[in-house]
Amino acid sequence: MQIATTRDVLRNAVAALRQDGVGQGRGRIALVPTMGALHEGHLTLVRRAREEADHVVASIFVNPKQFGPNEDLDAYPRQLAEDAALLEAEGCALLWAPTVSEMYPAGFVTNISVAGVSDGLCGAARPGHFDGVATVVCKLFNQVQPDVALFGEKDYQQLAVIRAMARDLDLALPCAESIIGVPTVREADGLAMSSRNRYLSAEQRAAAAALPRAMRTAIAAIEGGADVAGALAALQAEVIAAGFASVDYAELADSTSLAPLTVLGETPARLLIAARIGGTRLIDNMAVSA
Ligand code: PAF
């Protein structure tokens, strides 16, 4: 696996992969953007990416523009050598691992803001976060120009923001339809895998399993016809009783626009939650059938 840390090296490496197509001559490329600290969820994305293309390019970049002033940018785990070994073992062809100054050279002033879908849920608690995500993902798309790009559904709002950005900016490589959402990978007790789970103490980690459990209870109630507001209130109470300090939000939303729903309609819906345990903010989401 080649590791590129500058745009020049990346450009040449991508061009070489393009020359190397299985069968049709033009190598198809799948991009898996990450911030590193890789776990089984990321490796699942790489495996799926290998099914979609001839070559997998992964990126590791802890993007300062998507962290707020009081967030965990400095503490965010960085383990490039370990991550590179994991990616290589999964058959990744190229790792793009730029420095902050390579990604944002002096004088960088552009910001991509995707209105509407960025505003509620995590966007309300983390102002500017999705601008940072959209801006860096747009750059990654332009730098690699992949045929497809893969993201975990764990960050469901992020996926919706990136799809809207690709659609609105008429991106070609990848186009909005080639942005693939991959179902969340969970631990045996149901907790969604996340690089931030490593911040949890043993006690917090055990308590955290209450989050997906309480979500499933709420979904069963909503699908069974219970009042949505009541089910969401019960969900929050159960999470707090399990040891979480606070719930940032627990919402039923339209699965595409993420507009809040007060009743379950005929279009697909999603239950989304963010809750804090100790100093760690965990997010999760699950489909709700009409
Ligand atoms: O999900 C992530 O790891 C990041 O938000 C992403 C998409 C790589 C952009 O920095």
Side-chain angles (χ1 to χ4, degrees), residues 32-36 42 59 61-63 66 76 129 132-134 136-137 140 151-152 155 158 162 195:
V32 178
T34 82
M35 297 205 300
H42 298 109
S59 64
F61 179 65
V62 182
N63 173 31
Q66 68 187 76
Y76 200 85
H129 168 69
V133 170
V136 80
V137 170
L140 290 167
F151 297 87
D155 295 297
Q158 164 172 286
I162 292 166
S195 304

Short mmCIF file of all heavy atoms in Angstrom, two decimals, residues 32-36 42 59 61-63 66 76 129 132-134 136-137 140 151-152 155 158 162 195, ligand 1:
data_model
loop_
_atom_site.label_atom_id
_atom_site.label_comp_id
_atom_site.label_asym_id
_atom_site.label_seq_id
_atom_site.Cartn_x
_atom_site.Cartn_y
_atom_site.Cartn_z
N VAL A 32 -12.65 5.77 0.85
CA VAL A 32 -13.17 5.64 2.22
C VAL A 32 -12.52 6.75 3.06
O VAL A 32 -11.39 6.60 3.52
CB VAL A 32 -12.85 4.25 2.82
CG1 VAL A 32 -13.36 4.16 4.26
CG2 VAL A 32 -13.45 3.14 1.97
N PRO A 33 -13.24 7.88 3.26
CA PRO A 33 -12.67 8.96 4.07
C PRO A 33 -12.80 8.64 5.56
O PRO A 33 -13.86 8.19 6.01
CB PRO A 33 -13.55 10.18 3.72
CG PRO A 33 -14.34 9.78 2.51
CD PRO A 33 -14.49 8.29 2.61
N THR A 34 -11.73 8.85 6.32
CA THR A 34 -11.77 8.60 7.76
C THR A 34 -10.93 9.66 8.48
O THR A 34 -10.17 10.40 7.86
CB THR A 34 -11.20 7.21 8.16
OG1 THR A 34 -9.77 7.30 8.22
CG2 THR A 34 -11.60 6.11 7.20
N MET A 35 -11.07 9.65 9.80
CA MET A 35 -10.16 10.46 10.62
C MET A 35 -9.21 9.55 11.39
O MET A 35 -8.60 9.96 12.38
CB MET A 35 -10.96 11.34 11.60
CG MET A 35 -11.85 12.36 10.88
SD MET A 35 -12.23 13.82 11.85
CE MET A 35 -13.06 13.10 13.24
N GLY A 36 -9.09 8.29 10.96
CA GLY A 36 -8.18 7.37 11.62
C GLY A 36 -8.78 6.77 12.88
O GLY A 36 -10.00 6.78 13.07
N HIS A 42 -14.83 0.95 10.29
CA HIS A 42 -14.07 1.46 9.14
C HIS A 42 -13.65 0.31 8.22
O HIS A 42 -13.70 0.43 6.99
CB HIS A 42 -12.80 2.17 9.61
CG HIS A 42 -13.03 3.37 10.47
ND1 HIS A 42 -12.75 3.40 11.81
CD2 HIS A 42 -13.52 4.61 10.17
CE1 HIS A 42 -13.04 4.59 12.30
NE2 HIS A 42 -13.52 5.35 11.33
N SER A 59 -8.59 7.68 3.22
CA SER A 59 -7.91 8.89 3.71
C SER A 59 -7.98 8.91 5.22
O SER A 59 -8.96 8.44 5.82
CB SER A 59 -8.52 10.16 3.11
OG SER A 59 -9.85 10.30 3.54
N PHE A 61 -7.42 11.89 7.98
CA PHE A 61 -7.14 13.31 8.22
C PHE A 61 -8.04 13.77 9.35
O PHE A 61 -9.27 13.74 9.22
CB PHE A 61 -7.41 14.13 6.95
CG PHE A 61 -7.16 15.60 7.13
CD1 PHE A 61 -5.89 16.08 7.40
CD2 PHE A 61 -8.21 16.52 7.04
CE1 PHE A 61 -5.66 17.44 7.59
CE2 PHE A 61 -7.99 17.87 7.22
CZ PHE A 61 -6.71 18.34 7.49
N VAL A 62 -7.43 14.14 10.47
CA VAL A 62 -8.21 14.68 11.60
C VAL A 62 -8.44 16.15 11.26
O VAL A 62 -7.53 16.97 11.36
CB VAL A 62 -7.47 14.48 12.94
CG1 VAL A 62 -8.33 15.00 14.08
CG2 VAL A 62 -7.15 13.00 13.16
N ASN A 63 -9.66 16.42 10.83
CA ASN A 63 -9.98 17.70 10.18
C ASN A 63 -10.30 18.78 11.22
O ASN A 63 -11.40 18.78 11.79
CB ASN A 63 -11.20 17.46 9.27
CG ASN A 63 -11.73 18.74 8.66
OD1 ASN A 63 -10.98 19.66 8.41
ND2 ASN A 63 -13.04 18.76 8.43
N GLN A 66 -13.81 20.70 11.55
CA GLN A 66 -15.09 20.14 12.02
C GLN A 66 -15.14 19.98 13.54
O GLN A 66 -16.08 19.39 14.06
CB GLN A 66 -15.40 18.83 11.30
CG GLN A 66 -14.50 17.65 11.62
CD GLN A 66 -14.78 16.46 10.74
OE1 GLN A 66 -14.41 16.42 9.57
NE2 GLN A 66 -15.45 15.44 11.26
N TYR A 76 -8.09 13.81 20.12
CA TYR A 76 -8.59 12.81 19.18
C TYR A 76 -7.46 11.81 18.88
O TYR A 76 -6.34 12.21 18.56
CB TYR A 76 -9.10 13.46 17.89
CG TYR A 76 -10.03 12.53 17.14
CD1 TYR A 76 -11.38 12.48 17.47
CD2 TYR A 76 -9.55 11.68 16.17
CE1 TYR A 76 -12.23 11.59 16.83
CE2 TYR A 76 -10.39 10.79 15.52
CZ TYR A 76 -11.74 10.76 15.86
OH TYR A 76 -12.58 9.87 15.23
N HIS A 129 -19.86 22.48 12.60
CA HIS A 129 -19.31 21.12 12.42
C HIS A 129 -19.54 20.62 10.99
O HIS A 129 -18.60 20.16 10.32
CB HIS A 129 -19.95 20.17 13.43
CG HIS A 129 -19.68 18.72 13.16
ND1 HIS A 129 -18.42 18.16 13.31
CD2 HIS A 129 -20.48 17.71 12.73
CE1 HIS A 129 -18.47 16.88 12.99
NE2 HIS A 129 -19.70 16.59 12.62
N GLY A 132 -17.49 22.19 8.29
CA GLY A 132 -16.14 21.61 8.26
C GLY A 132 -16.13 20.27 7.56
O GLY A 132 -15.22 19.97 6.78
N VAL A 133 -17.15 19.45 7.81
CA VAL A 133 -17.23 18.14 7.16
C VAL A 133 -17.42 18.32 5.66
O VAL A 133 -16.72 17.72 4.84
CB VAL A 133 -18.39 17.31 7.76
CG1 VAL A 133 -18.64 16.06 6.93
CG2 VAL A 133 -18.11 16.93 9.21
N ALA A 134 -18.41 19.17 5.27
CA ALA A 134 -18.71 19.33 3.83
C ALA A 134 -17.49 19.89 3.10
O ALA A 134 -17.16 19.45 1.99
CB ALA A 134 -19.91 20.26 3.65
N VAL A 136 -14.21 19.65 3.88
CA VAL A 136 -13.10 18.69 3.71
C VAL A 136 -13.50 17.55 2.79
O VAL A 136 -12.69 17.07 1.99
CB VAL A 136 -12.56 18.19 5.07
CG1 VAL A 136 -13.42 17.08 5.66
CG2 VAL A 136 -11.12 17.71 4.93
N VAL A 137 -14.75 17.10 2.87
CA VAL A 137 -15.15 15.98 2.01
C VAL A 137 -15.18 16.42 0.55
O VAL A 137 -14.77 15.68 -0.35
CB VAL A 137 -16.50 15.38 2.48
CG1 VAL A 137 -17.04 14.39 1.46
CG2 VAL A 137 -16.33 14.69 3.83
N LEU A 140 -11.65 16.28 -0.50
CA LEU A 140 -11.21 14.88 -0.68
C LEU A 140 -11.75 14.32 -1.99
O LEU A 140 -11.05 13.63 -2.73
CB LEU A 140 -11.68 14.02 0.50
CG LEU A 140 -10.99 14.28 1.85
CD1 LEU A 140 -11.76 13.61 2.98
CD2 LEU A 140 -9.55 13.80 1.83
N PHE A 151 -19.43 5.82 3.34
CA PHE A 151 -19.51 6.42 4.67
C PHE A 151 -20.39 5.54 5.54
O PHE A 151 -21.35 4.92 5.06
CB PHE A 151 -20.14 7.82 4.59
CG PHE A 151 -19.33 8.80 3.78
CD1 PHE A 151 -19.50 8.89 2.40
CD2 PHE A 151 -18.39 9.63 4.39
CE1 PHE A 151 -18.75 9.78 1.65
CE2 PHE A 151 -17.64 10.53 3.64
CZ PHE A 151 -17.82 10.60 2.27
N GLY A 152 -20.10 5.53 6.83
CA GLY A 152 -20.91 4.75 7.76
C GLY A 152 -22.22 5.47 8.06
O GLY A 152 -22.26 6.69 8.23
N ASP A 155 -22.88 7.93 11.29
CA ASP A 155 -22.96 9.40 11.20
C ASP A 155 -24.01 9.73 10.15
O ASP A 155 -23.70 10.18 9.05
CB ASP A 155 -21.58 9.97 10.84
CG ASP A 155 -20.56 9.72 11.94
OD1 ASP A 155 -20.74 10.23 13.05
OD2 ASP A 155 -19.61 8.95 11.70
N GLN A 158 -24.32 13.33 8.86
CA GLN A 158 -23.16 13.61 8.01
C GLN A 158 -23.38 13.07 6.60
O GLN A 158 -23.10 13.74 5.60
CB GLN A 158 -21.92 12.99 8.64
CG GLN A 158 -20.72 12.87 7.72
CD GLN A 158 -19.48 12.42 8.44
OE1 GLN A 158 -18.88 13.20 9.16
NE2 GLN A 158 -19.06 11.18 8.27
N ILE A 162 -23.49 15.23 3.15
CA ILE A 162 -22.56 14.98 2.03
C ILE A 162 -23.35 14.68 0.74
O ILE A 162 -22.99 15.17 -0.34
CB ILE A 162 -21.61 13.82 2.39
CG1 ILE A 162 -20.67 14.27 3.52
CG2 ILE A 162 -20.82 13.34 1.18
CD1 ILE A 162 -19.91 13.14 4.20
N SER A 195 -14.81 5.63 17.21
CA SER A 195 -13.45 5.90 17.71
C SER A 195 -13.52 6.52 19.10
O SER A 195 -12.57 6.45 19.86
CB SER A 195 -12.72 6.84 16.75
OG SER A 195 -12.72 6.29 15.46
O1 PAF B 1 -16.68 10.56 9.61
C1 PAF B 1 -15.51 10.99 9.63
O2 PAF B 1 -14.57 10.30 10.01
C2 PAF B 1 -15.24 12.41 9.20
O3 PAF B 1 -16.28 13.26 9.57
C3 PAF B 1 -14.94 12.55 7.69
C4 PAF B 1 -16.12 12.12 6.84
C5 PAF B 1 -13.74 11.70 7.34
C6 PAF B 1 -14.62 14.00 7.34
O4 PAF B 1 -13.55 14.47 8.09
#
